[in-house]
């Protein structure tokens, strides 16, 4: 899990946005504590991670937003003589929260387990037993209605060294640095591996891990607060069992917001003709290569109504051998599809190896139309980003090329095209009442699309935005990207 | 997980009881299918396990109780050419049930994973990736409201050999035995280890494994049916998320029912005096040994009202150094205790190493008074047997001696003692309205106690029944057992 986080660190959040999101999260947390009290939900929050990652100071920030009567912070120091004479889980169990209260553990049961493991202090199978106990403990809590949220604070070896050095330099902070801290930094790679294994082994759906990039304090605080808010909201919505939403741990690419996309890009008819011909020839060759090498390709199209998806798809299929591809127009699910997991109908339409499947609208309906029309619950669509990333990971691990296009136009162009459709008898079937209704929700859609693109642009299957005010430009760009992605795979 | 099952195999269920429980389960399953349909719960049942363990024939038995419109059985044969050209999970995903329906998989995704692992056919980290995919798949299903129940059918190497040989002998069954089956039997130990690891790794709380002793067909059928009924009942009670109750996988001892206990055992006053003195001396010595060797001891007392727990405890404490033990009388929980996990107040009262804690009434209140008075939900007490076994496992793993006494009298003796208490002024405080009310529920209590003793008599912490119509006999027996258990530990 740690490798993926390294990648996520590259995502930059502008200062202004960070501030605003932080204040939203603070306000929400403040509101939630009363609901939590009322519904008697006990919340146990564990902060684990590397030494000097700043756990303590983040806890300090988080509790500022909570009424002091509603929480306890437990800092796990060296074990007392009393604690040494009790079972391993004793000190953690006796500190669990009452119903309706928060408890924060500044380092939980993970620390001792991974430290001893990394330092070779466990006899055979002792490590496995501890992991087993930890998992049972967490499951017993969640089965009995506790919300358990586990955070792992991550910093790089270099960053840790820098922080430890700074602490060592000042006389009044020297004492904070322990032998273990220094050992950890010296054996960072080895220690990380042990942590990674433990995180993977104990990353259960009832008590998942949230890995926090703790390089920047404000950013770390934001991540913790937002996860806390989400976790509590989810738990309050569930009855009996407080299952939180798992972290989306996939390596993401930094993406633009739709409002930042320049839609003025254009091609002349001549440029378009010329490029199209060459690209289609190339694609045609590649299709044969794909077939021979048994590489499956999945192309996903999403975009506003009248954005030009159909025409875009047509230019691609023109270049393909009809025996080797299939286009799947996706409408509302049939009853037998609706009765199953929402990814089922897409699993059912996967191409065979060596074939191409083109989806005109996709599984992203979950976080677009289903979200906005309320066809699924809030929990459902929030969970879906991770579920979809997992789904596409399965596909790329299988060996598929996954290319996702968001076809973008602006509001004026859409109006123009709608009007044209309505006024052209042979195009009237293309425009419905629903299109006009969707248009009214333009801003809400844009927000949902931005969130979707940010959360599902994984490095193995990122979104590509096609500026489609000019259809020529969009078609050529799509084809170029597709060719590039296939070439990358076939290298 | 497989080792524990070997132990559970030793538990014998009489023919008559088996028949009766089977018919109860069948009727319940029949009723449940309609509720399941109504609540639109999709149920996915996977049968995995050793070759020739009889999965197919059990599925045949189970579906007899279900309306054919409500289920599908999928037998996973060799992959078709089509399936070979799709992602690993494809064939399983496309067969998931619709809402309100059952689907049975005759072997699921485990089989391929463990076979390839055991036969060394996976490249580095490929096995880990598969396990990861499997876990994600299961979590995605359960997060989206599916009930996922996984059964693993277990038979011994010898039994498997016998069955395979029998199939090979008959000309018309020979074809059923594959190369893989023979390979599996030949490499049984190695293969079991791989299975065991996989079971442990994928035994999540949202989709736990149920290990089925498949030596006897009827018994296997009973186990499957009862687990199915329990799982569906639990899922129907939960909103949104269908978390089943985990299997109680601890090695159990065969225990008598209370009605089979002979309560006529007696000691004369002289015998009692003589034995008591010797035993108390021995216990006193042992207490010192325990202290020196830092072994903690936990003694748990449960029993009917007026069964003589108090007097029994007194004879033990008389022999102990007061600085080294504590008696904890357990009444209804205080508000701050009630607001936490029910095991919390017992965790809080654990002895230090080298000390003895005696509990007059215990954590078993969960499956006795809380169950019978409805202080906890049905799910809560059903889950509790496993939770308590886990708790006591933690204690014995820590190094503690755990001794549990059920102090048993019959209904007449209780009445006699109640009446005597009421007629003796200095004993009147011992008898309350509640005692009389409890007495009315005698039969229900007995049923609950039988279930408790059967399900929590683990080999590391079994129940000991003290026949206490004659208090002398009960006291001497308790002391003998306690001494024996401590001596075993100190050997």
């Amino acid at each position: 899990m740690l490798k993926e986080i390294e990648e996520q660190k590259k995502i930059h959040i502008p200062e202004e946005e960070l501030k605003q999101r932080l204040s939203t999260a603070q306000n929400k947390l403040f509101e939630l504590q009363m609901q939590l009290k009322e519904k008697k939900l006990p919340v146990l929050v564990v902060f684990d991670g590397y030494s000097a990652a700043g756990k303590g100071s983040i806890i300090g920030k988080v509790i500022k937003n909570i009424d002091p009567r509603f929480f306890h912070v437990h800092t796990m120091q060296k074990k007392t003589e009393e604690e040494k004479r009790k079972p391993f889980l004793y000190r953690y169990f006796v500190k669990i929260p009452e119903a309706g209260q928060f408890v924060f553990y500044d380092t939980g049961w993970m620390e001792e387990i991974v430290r001893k493991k990394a330092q070779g202090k466990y006899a055979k199978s002792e490590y496995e037993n501890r992991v087993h106990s930890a998992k049972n403990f967490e499951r017993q809590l969640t089965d009995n209605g506790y919300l358990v949220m586990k955070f792992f604070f991550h910093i790089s070896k270099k960053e840790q060294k820098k922080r430890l050095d700074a602490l060592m330099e000042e006389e009044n902070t020297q004492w904070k640095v322990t032998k273990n801290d220094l050992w950890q930094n010296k054996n960072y790679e080895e220690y990380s591996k042990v942590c990674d294994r433990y995180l993977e082994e104990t990353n259960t759906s009832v008590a998942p891990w949230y890995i926090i990039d703790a390089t920047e304090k404000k950013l770390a605080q934001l991540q913790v607060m937002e996860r806390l808010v989400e976790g509590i909201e989810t738990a309050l919505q569930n009855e009996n069992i407080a299952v939180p939403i798992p972290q989306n741990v996939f390596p993401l690419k930094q993406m633009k917001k739709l409002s930042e996309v320049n839609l003025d890009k254009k091609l002349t008819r001549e440029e378009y003709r010329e490029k199209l011909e060459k690209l289609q020839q190339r694609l045609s060759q590649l299709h044969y290569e794909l077939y021979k090498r048994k590489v499956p390709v999945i192309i996903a199209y999403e975009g506003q109504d009248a954005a030009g998806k159909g025409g875009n798809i047509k230019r691609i299929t023109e270049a393909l051998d009809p025996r080797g591809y299939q286009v799947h127009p996706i409408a509302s699910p049939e009853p037998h599809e609706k009765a199953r997991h929402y990814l089922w109908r897409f699993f059912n339409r996967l191409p065979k190896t060596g074939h191409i499947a083109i989806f005109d609208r996709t599984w992203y309906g979950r976080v677009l139309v289903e979200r906005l029309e309320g066809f699924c619950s809030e929990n459902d669509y929030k969970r879906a980003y991770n579920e979809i990333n997992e789904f596409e990971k399965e596909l790329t691990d299988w060996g598929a090329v996954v290319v996702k296009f968001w076809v973008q136009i602006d509001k004026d162009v859409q109006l123009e095209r709608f009007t044209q459709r309505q006024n052209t008898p042979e195009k009237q079937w293309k425009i419905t009442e629903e299109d006009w209704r969707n248009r009214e929700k333009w801003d809400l859609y844009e927000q949902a699309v931005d969130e979707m693109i940010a959360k599902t642009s994984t490095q193995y299957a990122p979104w590509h935005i096609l500026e489609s005010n000019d259809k020529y430009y969009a078609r050529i760009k799509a084809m170029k990207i597709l060719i590039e992605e296939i070439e990358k795979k076939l290298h």
Side-chain angles (χ1 to χ4, degrees), chain A residues 80-137:
Chain A
T80 62
E81 282 311 307
E82 172 89 9
E83 285 170 343
K84 280 186 193 162
R85 296 180 67 178
K86 295 288 171 75
F88 171 66
L89 286 171
Y90 172 79
R91 63 196 311 226
Y92 308 105
F93 206 134
V94 296
K95 295 184 179 75
I96 61 172
E98 299 194 20
Q101 298 236 339
F102 280 97
V103 158
F104 297 91
Y105 290 69
D106 186 352
T107 69
W109 40 98
M110 170 184 188
E111 194 274 333
E112 180 177 327
I113 301 177
V114 292
R115 177 167 40 79
K116 288 199 171 165
K117 173 73 182 164
Q119 298 182 344
K121 285 185 180 157
Y122 278 135
K124 203 179 161 280
S125 86
E126 213 177 332
Y127 169 76
E128 282 74 17
N129 291 344
R130 283 280 184 268
V131 172
H132 194 77
S133 294
K135 278 164 78 175
N136 284 349
F137 176 42

Side-chain angles (χ1 to χ4, degrees), chain A residues 145-250:
Chain A
Y146 283 69
L147 172 62
V148 176
M149 299 197 71
K150 305 181 299 191
F151 293 97
F152 185 88
F153 279 56
H154 186 270
I155 47 174
S156 68
K157 181 174 188 174
K158 220 169 115 189
E159 179 69 21
Q160 190 184 41
K161 178 114 184 23
K162 205 174 81 188
R163 294 187 188 183
L164 290 174
D165 284 350
L167 289 171
M168 295 281 278
E169 258 169 38
E170 299 286 331
E171 213 168 322
N172 58 341
T173 56
Q174 260 178 17
W175 62 274
K176 286 189 174 178
V177 179
T178 67
K179 260 194 211 165
N180 272 327
D181 298 341
L182 297 173
W183 177 89
Q184 206 184 89
N185 190 253
K186 212 177 140 205
N187 301 276
Y188 185 92
E189 290 78 10
E190 181 52 30
Y191 184 71
S192 296
K193 263 187 217 158
V194 176
C195 285
D196 206 18
R197 175 173 164 194
Y198 179 89
L199 291 170
E200 182 72 38
E201 286 173 333
T202 56
N203 189 36
T204 60
S205 55
V206 292
W209 278 105
Y210 298 97
I211 316 283
I212 300 298
D213 166 17
T215 319
E216 309 252 357
K217 276 197 183 165
K218 270 256 168 65
L219 187 60
Q221 192 194 340
L222 177 69
Q223 295 171 75
V224 170
M225 300 273 290
E226 286 190 341
R227 288 296 81 68
L228 272 178
V229 166
E230 188 185 70
I232 295 167
E233 278 180 341
T234 311
L236 289 171
Q237 281 164 35
N238 293 334
E239 294 292 320
N240 303 325
I241 297 155
V243 175
I245 292 172
Q247 184 179 21
N248 196 337
V249 287
F250 298 94

Side-chain angles (χ1 to χ4, degrees), chain A residues 308-450:
Chain A
K309 294 193 299 296
N312 204 303
I313 291 171
K314 192 153 173 276
R315 297 321 176 280
I316 286 173
T317 55
E318 279 172 2
L320 304 177
D321 183 326
R323 291 163 301 180
Y325 77 86
Q326 209 165 354
V327 177
H328 300 286
I330 301 298
S332 345
E334 301 290 324
H336 75 286
E337 294 173 331
K338 216 176 195 157
R340 289 184 171 84
H341 192 296
Y342 69 98
L343 289 175
W344 182 74
R345 58 182 178 144
F346 303 103
F347 241 102
N348 239 330
R349 289 174 170 85
L350 289 181
K352 287 190 282 195
T353 52
H355 284 238
I356 297 178
I358 302 176
F359 290 89
D360 182 2
R361 301 214 181 276
T362 68
W363 42 99
Y364 284 95
R366 188 70 159 186
V367 296
L368 297 174
V369 57
E370 289 192 43
R371 165 184 178 171
L372 287 162
E373 302 293 334
F375 296 154
C376 67
S377 76
E378 201 181 319
N379 280 353
D380 285 339
Y381 88 76
K382 283 187 175 168
R383 233 176 27 237
Y385 302 109
N386 180 55
E387 291 173 341
I388 288 174
N389 287 346
E390 283 179 357
F391 171 55
E392 293 174 2
K393 187 76 167 46
E394 286 293 329
L395 298 180
T396 52
D397 281 354
W398 167 47
V401 177
V402 178
V403 184
K404 303 183 313 202
F405 293 121
W406 174 261
V407 193
Q408 171 69 1
I409 50 174
D410 66 31
K411 223 175 158 179
D412 294 340
V413 170
Q414 189 186 51
L415 183 62
E416 207 175 283
R417 293 188 188 166
F418 274 15
T419 318
Q420 203 194 355
R421 282 180 179 185
Q422 214 138 31
N423 299 339
T424 318
E426 68 272 23
K427 283 190 179 169
Q428 266 168 20
W429 64 273
K430 278 186 160 185
I431 179 100
T432 66
E433 272 308 303
E434 209 189 322
D435 293 333
W436 289 103
R437 271 202 307 279
N438 286 342
R439 185 174 159 79
E440 280 166 30
K441 295 190 182 170
W442 184 279
D443 293 340
L444 284 175
Y445 260 97
E446 184 161 321
Q447 222 182 324
V449 174
D450 276 335

